[in-house]
């Protein structure tokens, strides 16, 4: 079949109804690239499909196709929202379905926006820059979604799917967004091969270079040990969420964690999960915390626990980490979870939740200038639950932090895929910073993560467990830790701007008699 006929038939396919039918399936394929499925290369296939669609559709149709793609991606990838709202939020079945659909639809607007912008630009361009435009716009929209809109929602950003591929080598250098761009660019280059033999040779060489360079970068150790090894133990209490805050269960919960702790007094650091103490600090300071701290000092251990704390004023509450040992220190969660720990879009969101009879937490951010907590003699970068999804939360605490500690309670999502996705995101923070990560969770997935993003040891999810291992305090900075996302995002904006200039110049030449 002649090339022009082939391209015509391919264009007709993507313009047609079958393309709309396949769009949600492509979105689901993208979701399967993430944990716990880890079919990483499906992300390239899904991106190639949606980029091919946007290349031939009008902006309005491209936005619709992007929205359908988003319904598949988020409808499958964040289906755990239904579990949280229905089982633990107390909403009825109909309200749970509607809230989940609203949640999925809101995030599906972002691939819709990407589609609209891509189509509007690509339709005026030539094949030489058709790989660059959708890749750049995709990442810029991801950046907006992950950092700005509703305090950021970085779930299912494409780079997170690549921890086991050569592209993970770029993470310590250019971070999630720079790596995501190179990955999307590879999918775009593969797609553009259908435009002719010249494109096939050039694009395949470029793709090979991207993969090979990433593989080489994976072997670089950007940071180094700065002290003696530290023995750590991480506890996973596996307390059901529906029992966690019941007053009659408090003593049993505290006894369970204390018993687990007593088996690991040989560790330098013992980490408990988020809100492992289901009471305010003032309620248990004398009866539980002070005796536990005395034991920690006697055994030359530091215990990192988590509990809510009241501030100086009645309306101030913090979600906090407390280090018990020779030197008591605190950390108050700073990056709060929208609709879980604070309500954005007030007063509308509050009225909706009141109508649904759902009660959520109201916490206060701890602030950006908190002193780093200390354990085993070293300052560390602390994060609580959702904060480990925000790269700046860890990066801005370097180079002082010698390791990372994350405490999480993913029991809100039951035995869904969310805990596995969350661990995948957390592993990226270790890789970006070149630090060990100690991640203690209530129900899973508790793990020790190496500075290269690999799992050193992992607890079995949804079981009571304790894992122990050896880490090293790390010093030095990765290139990404020095610069953050600004260079990658700035370069993307510049490339898209230059592409627009080229498109306008080409259009002006064509209009010239």
């Amino acid at each position: 079949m002649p090339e022009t006929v082939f391209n015509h038939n391919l264009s007709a396919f993507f313009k047609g109804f079958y393309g709309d039918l396949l769009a949600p399936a492509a979105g689901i394929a993208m979701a399967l690239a993430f944990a716990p499925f880890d079919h990483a290369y499906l992300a390239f296939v899904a991106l190639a499909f949606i980029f091919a669609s946007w290349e031939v559709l009008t902006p309005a149709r491209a936005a619709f196709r992007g929205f359908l793609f988003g319904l598949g991606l988020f409808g499958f990838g964040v289906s755990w929202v239904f579990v949280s709202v229905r089982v633990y939020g107390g909403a009825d079945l109909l309200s749970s379905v509607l809230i989940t659909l609203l949640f999925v639809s809101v995030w599906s607007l972002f691939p819709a926006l990407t589609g609209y912008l891509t189509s509007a630009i690509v339709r005026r361009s030539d094949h030489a820059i058709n790989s660059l435009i959708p890749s750049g716009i995709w990442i810029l929209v991801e950046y907006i979604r992950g950092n700005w809109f509703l305090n950021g929602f970085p779930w299912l950003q494409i780079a997170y799917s690549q921890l086991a591929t050569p592209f993970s080598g770029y993470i310590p250098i250019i971070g999630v967004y720079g790596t995501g761009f190179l990955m999307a660019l590879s999918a775009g280059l593969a797609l553009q091969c259908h435009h002719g033999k010249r494109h096939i040779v050039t694009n395949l060489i470029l793709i090979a270079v991207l993969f090979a360079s990433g593989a080489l970068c994976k072997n670089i150790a950007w940071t180094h040990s700065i002290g003696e090894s530290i023995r750590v133990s991480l506890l996973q209490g596996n307390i059901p969420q529906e029992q966690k805050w019941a007053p009659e269960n408090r003593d049993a919960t505290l006894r369970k964690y204390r018993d687990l702790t007593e088996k690991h007094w040989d560790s330098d650091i013992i980490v408990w999960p988020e809100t492992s103490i289901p009471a305010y600090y003032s309620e248990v300071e004398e009866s539980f915390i002070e005796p536990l701290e005395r034991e920690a000092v006697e055994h030359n251990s530091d215990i990192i626990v988590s509990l809510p704390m009241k501030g100086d004023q009645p309306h101030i509450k913090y979600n906090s980490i407390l280090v018990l040992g020779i030197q008591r220190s605190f950390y108050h969660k700073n990056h709060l979870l929208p609709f879980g720990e604070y309500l954005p879009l007030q007063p509308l969101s509050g009225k909706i939740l009141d109508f649904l009879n759902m009660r959520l937490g109201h916490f206060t951010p701890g602030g950006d200038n908190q002193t780093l907590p200390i354990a085993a003699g070293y300052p560390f970068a602390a994060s609580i639950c959702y904060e480990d999804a925000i790269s700046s939360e860890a990066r801005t605490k370097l180079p002082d932090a010698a390791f990372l500690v994350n405490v999480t309670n993913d029991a809100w999502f039951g035995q869904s895929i969310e805990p596995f996705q969350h661990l995948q995101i957390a592993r990226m923070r270790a890789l970006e910073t070149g630090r060990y990560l100690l991640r203690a969770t209530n129900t899973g997935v508790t793990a020790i993560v190496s500075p290269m993003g690999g799992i050193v040891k992992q607890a079995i999810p949804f079981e009571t467990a304790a894992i122990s291992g050896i880490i090293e305090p790390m010093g030095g900075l990765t290139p990404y830790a020095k610069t953050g996302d600004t260079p990658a995002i700035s370069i993307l904006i510049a490339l898209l701007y230059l592409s627009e200039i080229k498109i306008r110049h080409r259009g002006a030449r064509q209009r010239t008699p």
Side-chain angles (χ1 to χ4, degrees), residues 77-105:
V78 298
S79 54
W80 36 263
V81 170
F82 177 83
V83 177
S84 181
V85 173
R86 171 67 172 146
V87 178
Y88 303 111
D92 59 68
L93 178 61
L94 178 59
S95 297
S96 301
V97 171
L98 292 176
I99 290 173
T100 303
L101 285 175
L102 176 62
F103 185 84
V104 169
S105 297

Side-chain angles (χ1 to χ4, degrees), residues 6-261:
F6 172 77
N7 287 338
H8 174 76
N9 291 339
L10 190 65
S11 175
F13 171 81
F14 282 108
K15 285 181 179 179
F17 178 67
Y18 290 111
D20 291 336
L21 287 178
L22 285 175
I28 293 173
M30 172 78 85
L32 291 173
F34 297 87
F37 311 103
D38 295 315
H39 300 298
Y41 291 102
L42 281 179
F44 294 89
V45 177
L47 286 171
F49 168 85
I50 198 64
F51 288 175
S53 296
W54 292 337
E55 188 175 313
V56 298
L57 295 175
T58 64
R61 285 273 290 136
F64 178 65
R65 184 73 58 83
F67 184 77
L68 293 177
F69 181 90
L71 290 180
L73 172 61
F74 294 106
F76 182 81
V78 298
S79 54
W80 36 263
V81 170
F82 177 83
V83 177
S84 181
V85 173
R86 171 67 172 146
V87 178
Y88 303 111
D92 59 68
L93 178 61
L94 178 59
S95 297
S96 301
V97 171
L98 292 176
I99 290 173
T100 303
L101 285 175
L102 176 62
F103 185 84
V104 169
S105 297
V106 167
W107 300 117
S108 297
L109 292 173
F110 286 86
L113 173 63
T114 306
Y116 182 89
L117 295 175
T118 298
S119 174
I121 298 175
V122 163
R123 287 165 62 85
R124 299 182 291 116
S125 69
D126 56 23
H127 301 317
I129 59 174
N130 275 9
S131 302
L132 174 66
I133 291 170
S135 307
I137 294 175
W138 181 284
I139 296 305
L140 289 178
V141 173
E142 271 199 348
Y143 181 74
I144 294 170
R145 172 167 72 87
N147 290 273
W148 293 350
F149 187 72
L150 295 180
N151 215 25
F153 183 70
W155 237 260
L156 301 180
Q157 292 185 332
I158 56 176
Y160 287 106
S161 67
Q162 300 301 301
L163 274 169
T165 74
F167 280 88
S168 66
Y170 295 113
I171 293 294
I173 305 173
I174 53 178
V176 168
Y177 298 108
T179 302
F181 170 71
L182 296 183
M183 177 194 162
L185 181 64
S186 298
L189 289 170
L191 170 65
Q192 294 303 315
C193 286
H194 73 82
H195 287 299
K197 293 180 179 179
R198 179 175 62 85
H199 289 278
I200 291 175
V201 174
T202 303
N203 290 5
L204 289 180
I205 291 174
L206 290 174
I207 293 170
V209 169
L210 289 173
F211 272 84
S213 299
L216 290 173
C217 291
K218 287 184 72 171
N219 298 318
I220 300 175
W222 297 102
T223 55
H224 57 274
S225 175
I226 58 172
E228 295 182 0
S229 298
I230 300 170
R231 181 170 177 79
V232 300
S233 291
L234 315 181
L235 309 185
Q236 182 174 290
N238 198 40
I239 309 296
Q241 188 61 35
E242 62 272 19
Q243 299 178 17
K244 185 176 177 66
W245 292 99
E248 63 271 19
N249 293 330
R250 177 193 294 180
D251 290 343
T253 297
L254 296 178
R255 189 163 51 248
K256 185 174 190 177
Y257 277 108
R258 190 159 191 162
D259 290 344
L260 287 170
T261 298

Side-chain angles (χ1 to χ4, degrees), residues 125-437:
S125 69
D126 56 23
H127 301 317
I129 59 174
N130 275 9
S131 302
L132 174 66
I133 291 170
S135 307
I137 294 175
W138 181 284
I139 296 305
L140 289 178
V141 173
E142 271 199 348
Y143 181 74
I144 294 170
R145 172 167 72 87
N147 290 273
W148 293 350
F149 187 72
L150 295 180
N151 215 25
F153 183 70
W155 237 260
L156 301 180
Q157 292 185 332
I158 56 176
Y160 287 106
S161 67
Q162 300 301 301
L163 274 169
T165 74
F167 280 88
S168 66
Y170 295 113
I171 293 294
I173 305 173
I174 53 178
V176 168
Y177 298 108
T179 302
F181 170 71
L182 296 183
M183 177 194 162
L185 181 64
S186 298
L189 289 170
L191 170 65
Q192 294 303 315
C193 286
H194 73 82
H195 287 299
K197 293 180 179 179
R198 179 175 62 85
H199 289 278
I200 291 175
V201 174
T202 303
N203 290 5
L204 289 180
I205 291 174
L206 290 174
I207 293 170
V209 169
L210 289 173
F211 272 84
S213 299
L216 290 173
C217 291
K218 287 184 72 171
N219 298 318
I220 300 175
W222 297 102
T223 55
H224 57 274
S225 175
I226 58 172
E228 295 182 0
S229 298
I230 300 170
R231 181 170 177 79
V232 300
S233 291
L234 315 181
L235 309 185
Q236 182 174 290
N238 198 40
I239 309 296
Q241 188 61 35
E242 62 272 19
Q243 299 178 17
K244 185 176 177 66
W245 292 99
E248 63 271 19
N249 293 330
R250 177 193 294 180
D251 290 343
T253 297
L254 296 178
R255 189 163 51 248
K256 185 174 190 177
Y257 277 108
R258 190 159 191 162
D259 290 344
L260 287 170
T261 298
E262 289 177 349
K263 298 176 182 178
H264 296 281
W265 283 127
D266 59 335
S267 292
D268 301 300
I269 300 174
I270 302 170
V271 188
W272 296 15
E274 180 186 12
T275 56
S276 44
I277 298 178
Y280 282 102
Y281 173 77
S282 58
E283 297 173 339
V284 292
E285 182 180 10
E286 293 184 1
S287 62
F288 184 77
I289 289 176
E290 290 182 354
L292 181 64
E293 186 172 44
R294 285 194 293 270
E295 284 192 81
V297 172
E298 290 174 5
H299 291 90
N300 199 30
S301 293
D302 286 315
I303 305 177
I304 301 173
V305 302
S306 176
L307 74 173
M309 300 184 67
K310 295 179 181 179
D312 297 334
Q313 302 177 35
H315 67 281
I316 294 179
K317 295 187 299 182
Y318 299 111
N319 187 354
S320 304
I321 280 175
L322 167 62
V323 182
L324 302 175
I326 298 297
Q327 183 176 350
R328 184 184 292 193
S329 54
F330 297 89
Y331 168 74
H332 305 308
K333 186 174 183 180
N334 188 42
H335 202 110
L336 302 181
L337 176 66
F339 301 105
E341 293 171 317
Y342 82 101
L343 293 178
L345 306 178
Q346 287 277 52
L348 176 62
S349 60
K351 291 180 179 179
I352 292 174
L353 292 176
D354 287 341
F355 175 77
L356 296 173
N357 196 31
M358 293 179 64
R359 297 291 180 263
L360 300 177
H362 296 273
F363 287 91
T364 302
D368 294 328
N369 298 318
Q370 299 182 67
T371 301
L372 293 185
I374 296 175
Y378 291 94
F380 65 89
S383 62
I384 299 176
C385 198
Y386 183 73
E387 285 185 307
D388 63 1
I390 311 299
S391 59
S392 60
E393 290 295 319
R395 187 184 68 81
T396 54
K397 297 167 185 175
L398 301 177
D400 296 331
F403 53 92
L404 315 179
V405 173
N406 173 254
V407 299
T408 288
N409 176 29
D410 281 336
W412 286 104
F413 308 103
Q415 296 191 22
S416 67
I417 61 177
E418 192 276 347
F420 304 96
Q421 294 175 340
H422 200 172
L423 173 61
Q424 186 176 54
I425 290 172
R427 290 171 60 191
M428 198 68 81
R429 304 290 84 84
L431 185 55
E432 287 173 344
T433 60
R435 288 337 189 240
Y436 280 91
L437 166 67

Side-chain angles (χ1 to χ4, degrees), residues 450-491:
S450 78
M452 305 298 282
I455 295 176
V456 176
K457 203 162 190 179
Q458 177 179 315
I460 299 174
F462 316 119
E463 293 185 6
T464 300
I467 60 172
S468 297
I470 302 296
I471 70 167
E472 295 181 7
M474 304 298 289
L477 292 173
T478 64
Y480 174 76
K482 294 177 182 178
T483 63
D485 294 311
T486 301
I489 297 301
S490 299
I491 291 171

